Amino acid sequence: MKEERELRGIIRYLIIVSFVVGLVMLILCLLRFDKDSATDIAMMVFLAIYLISAVVAFIKLKPILNSSLLDFSVKQGRVQRELLYEFSVPYALLDTDGKLMWGNHRFRDLIGVSEKKTLRRSLDDYFTNIDMGFLDDLEDEDEVSVNLAYEDRTYSILFKTVNVAETWNEGDEMVESDDDILIAMYMFDSTELNRYIKECYDQKLIAGLLYIDNYDEVMNSMEDVKQTVLTALIDRKINMYLANIDAITKRLENDKYFFVFRQQYMDALMKDKFSILQDVKNINAGNEIRATLSIGIGQGYERFTDSFEAAKVAIGLSLGRGGDQVAIKNGDLINYVGGKSAGIEKTTRVKARVKAQAFEELLESKDKVLIMAHQRPDADAFGSAVGIYRLVTTLGKKAYIILNDITPAIEPIVSTFTNNSIYEDMLINNEQALQMVTPSTLLVICDVNRPSMTECEEIIGRVSNLVVFDHHRQSNEAITNATLSYIEPFASSACEMITEMFQYISVKPKIRPVEADAMYMGILIDTDNFLNKTGVRTFEAASYLRNSGADITRVRKMMRSKLDDLKDRAQGISNAEIYRDAYAISYVDAEPNQKTAPTVAAAKVANELLGVENVKASFVVTEANGVLYVSARSIGDVNVQVIMEKWSGGGHANIAGAQLRDKSKEAFIAELKVVLSEMELEGDI
């Protein structure tokens, strides 16, 4: 109707315009008419005939024109209706409530409803798995697309709003509706297209890197004659596993492999949870230390070179988290598989020597060094910062430690520095640090590798030279612009790492007793008095600090607890429950007058609960000022870092934690139990 009215108006407009133009020309001729001019007389006669013809044509042709237009419109509507009935794409009309009102032949054949039956049921009665949320989306959009699987086919469905009053001709009985707005539904069969897309996707090449984490340690633990046998067994196991996914494998070094495989095998590897990790650990050819693997995979990239670069990043993350796991990098998303073991201590100090020398070379062109650790620093954070301060000042550079809040955990040791005039300008806050930044300033971050957890995240983007020293396993959030990065998850503490570096710089530092106390205290706290993550290098570092003046009695006095802390620990132990006969879960409530959460007490409770028979891991929570603090500890093969990562936490395999906002301890404990059950069922812990 609308198109017909528009067409009639256009024709009427053209006739009227031509009549008016002729009338204007007649008037102009009359104004300059000369009866003696034959030309003027001829022009007047022509215009008179033209105007009379135009009027007669308008009067005579109007009924015929209207009749022709109406006939054309009716025929057009019938043709459109017939085309919709025979439309090769399933097509239907719905009302605004989602009820079917009409469907063409293809649509009725699809849902199995004959032409004789009416369609007045809701769409989800026929397609039970469709999401009717598209009705809400159509209120804001004119078109909405939905994917649907029906029987053995997949469809891409387009829903589009239609104004009936403006679309259908009068007298059209194809659909009856009390509402002017209907919803048109087009169902495009995308089964074959999706199959071709999947085939193309499955043929994409994925790059992978496989490293034997502890190759040197394993080989040194066995006789020379058996080393060849073990190497052959490991190599055969790796090649057989990769042959199952039709991979091309290249051995780069004794402990390094490069492999390429197609995307179609990725789901099978994930379902298998990369059983090669356990298969290699189970190999026993007389070796006292079991071999472990780290795998890095770059997935989801258009170019193979990008996939290879992602694999290199992924293998670095896998090694940085302690090895014995797979890291899969897909754009910004990183997934981890495995990582249940705590890792094996590296006995070689080559890495420490290389990093120490590189750090010394980096210092040569810098005028000052800013040092910072994580928020709410503990003894290891402050002790390692002090160690870097001594190392930098020994090399003749000015150094400052960024410290905003002095927590109860470090208050005793910090006071020994603030009360000493030698360290008068050592400690600064965020504002002072930001004002000191120059192009030749070096920033050193210790005991943390996550930018959001540092004392001053803003300063990271302002400096051009950045160094990271940390012993925590890496997570998805990492400092990516570091000039020098030394992350050693096998180390017991950051203080242990810095102590080792002292022995490899050109100028041997003279550590003052107060500095040795701070670093020794950091090692004691992070190892729980040499009970956790303690290796040969830990005792060597402690011995070095003792020779440098660390006093056990002074440190023990600084580590003494207040009576309120003992009460908090007693409360935490009394609140403990054993879940699934293996996990101790408890909480420590802060006193009403406490300004900060008793996180130290919670950590100590977590350590003490590991002494309970059959307990593999402990989790203790405390909260204050809307923040929930979680301390997780384990003994044996349970990796609490993997568990804490479920709440964006992290740490070590045996010591980890997390901070959560706007979550009650009851809600967290309920979530924790669910996670422990699921991970235990799936074999992830």
Side-chain angles (χ1 to χ4, degrees):
M1 287 294 293
K2 182 180 179 181
E3 290 80 358
E4 181 185 342
R5 289 194 299 268
E6 289 179 352
L7 184 57
R8 288 176 180 175
I10 292 172
I11 295 175
R12 187 181 295 111
Y13 173 77
L14 292 174
I15 294 174
I16 293 174
V17 168
S18 62
F19 180 79
V20 171
V21 170
L23 186 60
V24 170
M25 292 179 65
L26 179 61
I27 294 171
L28 293 174
C29 287
L30 287 173
L31 292 176
R32 61 179 301 279
F33 177 72
D34 185 359
K35 61 181 180 179
D36 296 328
S37 173
T39 302
D40 289 352
I41 294 173
M43 181 62 70
M44 290 293 292
V45 173
F46 173 77
L47 288 175
I49 294 172
Y50 171 78
L51 291 173
I52 293 171
S53 300
V55 171
V56 171
F58 181 75
I59 295 173
K60 294 291 185 178
L61 294 178
K62 181 178 180 182
I64 300 174
L65 180 62
N66 289 340
S67 177
S68 299
L69 288 174
L70 180 60
D71 183 60
F72 173 77
S73 177
V74 171
K75 289 181 179 179
Q76 185 188 40
R78 290 174 181 173
V79 171
Q80 288 177 347
R81 180 174 24 176
E82 194 64 27
L83 288 174
L84 286 177
Y85 271 119
E86 301 300 331
F87 197 24
S88 61
V89 173
Y91 176 83
L93 291 173
L94 297 78
D95 63 13
T96 53
D97 294 326
K99 288 185 178 179
L100 281 167
M101 303 184 68
W102 178 86
N104 67 354
H105 299 316
R106 280 298 184 96
F107 183 82
R108 286 177 174 272
D109 291 342
L110 180 66
I111 62 176
V113 178
S114 67
E115 299 289 338
K116 298 179 181 179
K117 293 184 179 180
T118 58
L119 298 174
R120 292 298 297 176
R121 295 168 62 184
S122 178
L123 184 63
D124 55 0
D125 289 339
Y126 297 100
F127 304 103
T128 55
N129 59 336
I130 194 169
D131 183 6
M132 298 297 287
F134 71 86
L135 293 172
D136 297 328
D137 296 334
L138 280 173
E139 294 179 1
D140 301 322
E141 303 289 340
D142 292 333
E143 296 181 3
V144 174
S145 295
V146 175
N147 293 321
L148 174 70
Y150 183 68
E151 294 181 345
D152 59 343
R153 313 293 290 180
T154 56
Y155 295 90
S156 177
I157 305 179
L158 176 66
F159 294 99
K160 187 174 182 179
T161 55
V162 178
N163 192 322
V164 179
E166 297 180 353
T167 304
W168 304 113
N169 294 294
E170 291 181 352
D172 198 329
E173 298 177 353
M174 188 175 74
V175 61
E176 295 180 1
S177 175
D178 297 330
D179 196 345
D180 288 343
I181 302 299
L182 293 180
I183 300 173
M185 174 182 177
Y186 303 84
M187 297 185 65
F188 301 100
D189 191 335
S190 57
T191 307
E192 295 301 317
L193 177 61
N194 290 338
R195 182 172 66 85
Y196 293 138
I197 292 174
K198 186 177 187 307
E199 286 182 0
C200 291
Y201 179 74
D202 287 343
Q203 295 304 311
K204 281 186 176 181
L205 293 179
I206 294 178
L209 291 168
L210 185 151
Y211 291 0
I212 303 174
D213 299 323
N214 51 349
Y215 181 83
D216 292 334
E217 287 77 10
V218 171
M219 293 303 166
N220 292 334
S221 70
M222 58 191 307
E223 300 175 7
D224 294 344
V225 293
K226 295 181 179 180
Q227 291 180 6
T228 304
V229 176
L230 178 62
T231 301
L233 288 174
I234 294 175
D235 187 69
R236 182 172 180 271
K237 186 72 71 174
I238 292 173
N239 282 305
M240 287 181 62
Y241 184 82
L242 295 177
N244 289 332
I245 60 172
D246 197 24
I248 299 174
T249 310
K250 174 67 176 178
R251 188 173 182 176
L252 305 177
E253 299 178 25
N254 289 336
D255 58 345
K256 293 179 176 63
Y257 295 79
F258 169 72
F259 60 98
V260 180
F261 65 103
R262 290 193 293 270
Q263 173 69 45
Q264 68 185 84
Y265 296 103
M266 196 66 201
D267 290 340
L269 292 177
M270 294 297 291
K271 186 177 181 180
D272 181 56
K273 294 191 175 182
F274 292 86
S275 60
I276 185 64
L277 298 176
Q278 190 62 41
D279 292 343
V280 170
K281 278 196 291 187
N282 292 337
I283 296 176
N284 188 353
N287 48 302
E288 298 177 3
I289 301 174
R290 297 300 175 94
T292 62
L293 302 181
S294 289
I295 301 175
I297 293 175
Q299 177 190 7
Y301 296 88
E302 292 296 329
R303 298 192 307 168
F304 181 72
T305 53
D306 294 335
S307 178
F308 179 62
E309 291 300 321
K312 291 195 290 186
V313 173
I315 193 67
L317 290 171
S318 181
L319 294 170
R321 289 165 55 85
D324 188 26
Q325 59 194 282
V326 181
I328 304 165
K329 190 175 188 306
N330 188 346
D332 294 331
L333 180 65
I334 300 174
N335 293 321
Y336 298 100
V337 179
K340 294 191 290 184
S341 65
I344 301 173
E345 179 193 15
K346 300 283 187 179
T347 56
T348 176
R349 292 188 179 183
V350 174
K351 193 173 182 179
R353 174 177 56 80
V354 172
K355 299 297 183 181
Q357 293 174 352
F359 182 62
E360 185 175 357
E361 293 175 2
L362 190 60
L363 279 176
E364 292 179 357
S365 59
K366 305 298 177 289
D367 59 353
K368 72 172 77 69
V369 178
L370 302 178
I371 309 164
M372 71 173 177
H374 52 76
Q375 300 169 13
R376 294 182 59 82
D378 55 14
D380 186 38
F382 182 73
S384 57
V386 169
I388 297 169
Y389 173 87
R390 171 49 51 206
L391 194 153
V392 171
T393 53
T394 299
L395 295 172
K397 303 294 181 178
K398 194 67 177 175
Y400 304 90
I401 298 176
I402 304 173
L403 183 64
N404 298 300
D405 299 321
I406 301 176
T407 61
I410 63 171
E411 185 178 358
I413 189 65
V414 171
S415 63
T416 61
F417 287 88
T418 55
N419 295 329
N420 192 329
S421 59
I422 299 177
Y423 305 99
E424 184 176 2
D425 59 348
M426 182 179 74
L427 303 179
I428 59 175
N429 57 31
N430 285 357
E431 294 181 0
Q432 293 172 311
L434 291 170
Q435 293 175 357
M436 289 183 178
V437 174
T438 64
S440 58
T441 298
L442 178 66
L443 176 65
V444 179
I445 298 175
C446 57
D447 200 38
V448 64
N449 58 58
R450 299 172 63 174
S452 62
M453 295 184 64
T454 57
E455 280 277 23
C456 183
E457 184 178 1
E458 181 183 355
I459 201 173
I460 296 177
R462 294 196 180 187
V463 296
S464 55
N465 295 282
L466 175 62
V467 176
V468 179
F469 296 127
D470 188 29
H471 68 118
H472 296 99
R473 292 188 175 197
Q474 288 182 284
S475 64
N476 291 353
E477 181 193 3
I479 298 171
T480 58
N481 59 333
T483 308
L484 175 65
S485 182
Y486 182 20
I487 299 176
E488 183 58 86
F490 303 105
S492 68
S493 57
C495 288
E496 175 187 320
M497 296 171 58
I498 303 305
T499 302
E500 288 183 345
M501 290 176 60
F502 282 161
Q503 305 169 52
Y504 297 107
I505 61 174
S506 58
V507 181
K508 299 303 177 185
K510 295 181 179 179
I511 306 176
R512 295 189 174 94
V514 65
E515 298 166 350
D517 287 348
M519 300 181 70
Y520 190 84
M521 182 177 176
I523 295 177
L524 283 181
I525 293 296
D526 267 29
T527 60
D528 190 20
N529 291 314
F530 299 107
L531 293 178
N532 292 325
K533 284 185 66 64
T534 304
V536 175
R537 291 166 63 174
T538 309
F539 287 111
E540 290 176 350
S543 176
Y544 182 89
L545 294 173
R546 287 282 289 117
N547 290 331
S548 299
D551 187 279
I552 298 177
T553 303
R554 285 198 305 266
V555 173
R556 184 179 178 184
K557 287 181 179 180
M558 288 186 287
M559 292 174 61
R560 287 185 297 184
S561 302
K562 296 180 181 179
L563 182 59
D564 289 341
D565 292 336
L566 292 177
K567 291 180 179 179
D568 289 335
R569 289 162 59 184
Q571 177 201 159
I573 293 173
S574 65
N575 292 335
E577 62 169 311
I578 306 300
Y579 180 66
R580 298 181 70 89
D581 299 326
Y583 308 103
I585 302 174
S586 185
Y587 60 90
V588 177
D589 287 329
E591 295 295 330
N593 58 346
Q594 279 187 271
K595 296 181 180 179
T596 59
T599 53
V600 175
K604 290 183 178 180
V605 171
N607 286 328
E608 292 179 14
L609 289 176
L610 290 179
V612 178
E613 187 178 7
N614 296 326
V615 169
K616 297 179 181 178
S618 61
F619 305 88
V620 182
V621 299
T622 185
E623 57 184 330
N625 300 322
V627 181
L628 190 72
Y629 300 92
V630 186
S631 292
R633 302 290 186 270
S634 72
I635 187 170
D637 294 330
V638 176
N639 188 337
V640 290
Q641 182 215 5
V642 176
I643 300 173
M644 288 295 98
E645 283 180 345
K646 300 290 184 181
W647 292 273
S648 300
H652 296 290
N654 300 121
I655 302 175
Q659 295 182 15
L660 297 86
R661 295 188 179 275
D662 302 323
K663 187 179 289 293
S664 65
K665 65 176 183 292
E666 292 81 9
F668 170 77
I669 291 174
E671 291 179 8
L672 175 64
K673 291 179 178 179
V674 172
V675 168
L676 290 174
S677 299
E678 291 178 350
M679 295 184 71
E680 194 173 74
L681 182 64
E682 295 173 1
D684 293 334
I685 56 175

